[in-house]
Amino acid sequence: RFTGVLRVNGGVWHTGPGSIPGKVRGCRFDSGRRQLSIFEKENWMDKKTIVFDFDGVIHSYTSGWQGISVIPDPVVPEIQAAINYLRMEGYEVIVVSTRCARPEGMGAVRRYLRDNHIVVDDVVAHKPPAICYIDDRAICFDGNALGLIGKIRAFKPWYQN
């Protein structure tokens, strides 16, 4: 737990008198947990972080939006096994959901994960730095900017196909 004074000056952070400065790559403040995480330039990508969206990737979301704390649908088949395997391989798995912007949504997501025996490293409201993002509403950018237009017009999440 961070208890010192954080001063960021030119990308260098200090936690108090006599501390060794570290290089700052970025930071994330989780308001629900009132926690500040600092990513150092030397090692933040070494964590092998993967971010999973909650609705449509873990929660099957077949009923659509029912409310911030209403999560009625079953788990996506085999997602628990995939997450367990990735964690055993050394990946840090973080779940992100806009539900988590409010305490009741954060609680509902955490309960759903617990009740379905899905173990992750963190649950957050905003996308942290990661090596990749798993999202049911994403279009993978292939470098063809004009090709996005057709992909966007034809887009449907997997559960609507």
Side-chain angles (χ1 to χ4, degrees):
R1 172 175 267 203
F2 176 78
T3 58
V5 174
L6 179 67
R7 288 186 296 125
V8 177
N9 185 4
V12 177
W13 60 275
H14 304 267
T15 58
S19 66
I20 299 171
K23 298 287 186 179
V24 173
R25 169 66 177 167
C27 65
R28 173 181 81 222
F29 181 70
D30 183 338
S31 60
R33 298 173 113 184
R34 305 187 76 68
Q35 176 179 328
L36 178 69
S37 300
I38 298 170
F39 305 101
E40 297 180 20
K41 283 184 181 177
E42 291 79 21
N43 66 7
W44 75 278
M45 284 300 280
D46 293 341
K47 289 174 83 175
K48 297 190 337 182
T49 300
I50 301 172
V51 175
F52 282 76
D53 180 49
F54 179 71
D55 287 311
V57 177
I58 294 172
H59 166 238
S60 61
Y61 202 62
T62 53
S63 298
W65 183 255
Q66 302 292 311
I68 196 163
S69 61
V70 180
I71 308 173
D73 302 312
V75 172
V76 169
E78 305 301 326
I79 198 68
Q80 179 193 36
I83 289 171
N84 287 344
Y85 180 83
L86 291 166
R87 292 185 76 237
M88 286 190 312
E89 289 285 310
Y91 290 92
E92 177 185 44
V93 174
I94 296 178
V95 172
V96 67
S97 177
T98 57
R99 292 176 184 270
C100 297
R102 304 224 346 239
E104 62 269 29
M106 176 69 81
V109 169
R110 288 184 183 279
R111 277 189 303 279
Y112 185 91
L113 294 170
R114 182 197 64 221
D115 292 350
N116 287 285
H117 312 287
I118 298 171
V119 178
V120 299
D121 296 289
D122 205 356
V123 179
V124 298
H126 302 285
K127 235 173 25 173
I131 60 170
C132 68
Y133 301 90
I134 315 300
D135 196 322
D136 61 304
R137 293 193 169 268
I139 295 172
C140 188
F141 184 62
D142 60 7
N144 178 1
L146 293 177
L148 289 171
I149 297 166
K151 290 179 182 180
I152 291 167
R153 286 180 179 151
F155 182 80
K156 289 183 182 180
W158 68 269
Y159 49 85
Q160 289 181 359
N161 286 329

